[in-house]
Amino acid sequence: MTQLDLFGEVLSAERQRHYDALVCLRDAMPDALELVVALRRQQPRDTRSPRAGGGWAYCVSHAGLRVEAADQWSAGARERGETWGWDRTPAHLVTWDELTALIGQDPRRAEIAAWANSLPEPRWRLLARPHELWPDPEGWHLSYLCHDHVHEQWPRRRRAWQLLLDLLTDAITRVASTPTNQEPAA
């Protein structure tokens, strides 16, 4: 998949990987907030099993975040005669160090982490993407949206997710607009 940057230039392979990982986090991953707070896989067992959603295939492993556009991961790989779909780990790895270089120093991340770390366990439901902040919120039944809103943590959860989405959007813009001769350090 070729992605043009903001000025119509083709992104380098490294910038493309960074761009894709950030877009996948922002647009497709229900656990993006938890990943951005930790900047690592928190489960002790490693995996290469893919998940898919929002036009992306992705895998969170100890090595980092693997991403690939869903059409390339499935139909594109099949057309190329490669293993495709659920039997194939997404092709493009962005390591935790690379992701940390891209977003780790953003002050919004500290605010998001402070809120997330203040929650009692189990907290996975509160850390999950609110239904209205998916790219297609109209696809959810109204009861899901209402359930999010009635929880006492809703205002703080909504703020944390909005900060996360803004942080990722700003990082995407930086990656896309970095001149080719000034690749971000990773």
Side-chain angles (χ1 to χ4, degrees):
M1 179 168 137
T2 300
Q3 173 67 42
L4 299 180
D5 74 10
L6 297 175
F7 305 104
E9 299 175 14
V10 175
L11 297 177
S12 71
E14 179 179 355
R15 284 174 50 205
Q16 186 68 57
R17 280 186 310 104
H18 295 166
Y19 182 93
D20 289 351
L22 293 166
V23 170
C24 181
L25 274 166
R26 184 191 65 189
D27 295 348
M29 297 181 66
D31 53 353
L33 189 140
E34 189 173 6
L35 293 174
V36 168
V37 165
L39 289 174
R40 64 183 172 81
R41 178 174 168 81
Q42 294 185 298
Q43 292 80 12
R45 188 172 156 267
D46 201 7
T47 184
R48 290 181 58 93
S49 298
R51 295 169 29 194
W56 292 95
Y58 56 91
C59 173
V60 179
S61 71
H62 287 169
L65 175 61
R66 291 186 169 277
V67 299
E68 190 170 1
D71 61 340
Q72 291 301 308
W73 168 69
S74 184
R78 183 175 47 200
E79 290 168 7
R80 292 187 304 271
E82 300 170 1
T83 301
W84 55 278
W86 299 109
D87 292 330
R88 182 172 186 258
T89 301
H92 309 292
L93 174 67
V94 174
T95 67
W96 295 117
D97 288 344
E98 288 176 302
L99 198 56
T100 298
L102 292 167
I103 61 173
Q105 298 306 311
D106 191 303
R108 294 171 288 195
R109 185 174 160 270
E111 184 177 341
I112 295 164
W115 172 75
N117 292 329
S118 75
L119 298 171
E121 293 287 351
R123 60 186 182 194
W124 65 269
R125 278 200 173 120
L126 288 173
L127 296 179
R129 182 185 303 266
H131 295 88
E132 71 183 42
L133 294 180
W134 280 98
D136 59 347
E138 65 282 349
W140 295 100
H141 188 274
L142 184 59
S143 65
Y144 287 92
L145 281 73
C146 292
H147 182 72
D148 285 343
H149 284 246
V150 298
H151 194 281
E152 66 184 25
Q153 283 286 333
W154 172 246
R156 289 179 287 269
R157 179 182 180 206
R158 177 68 166 85
R159 174 165 171 70
W161 268 93
Q162 192 58 59
L163 285 171
L164 175 69
L165 296 175
D166 293 345
L167 176 157
L168 292 170
T169 297
D170 290 349
I172 290 164
T173 301
R174 277 192 310 277
V175 167
S177 62
T178 301
T180 303
N181 60 354
Q182 295 180 3
E183 291 292 326

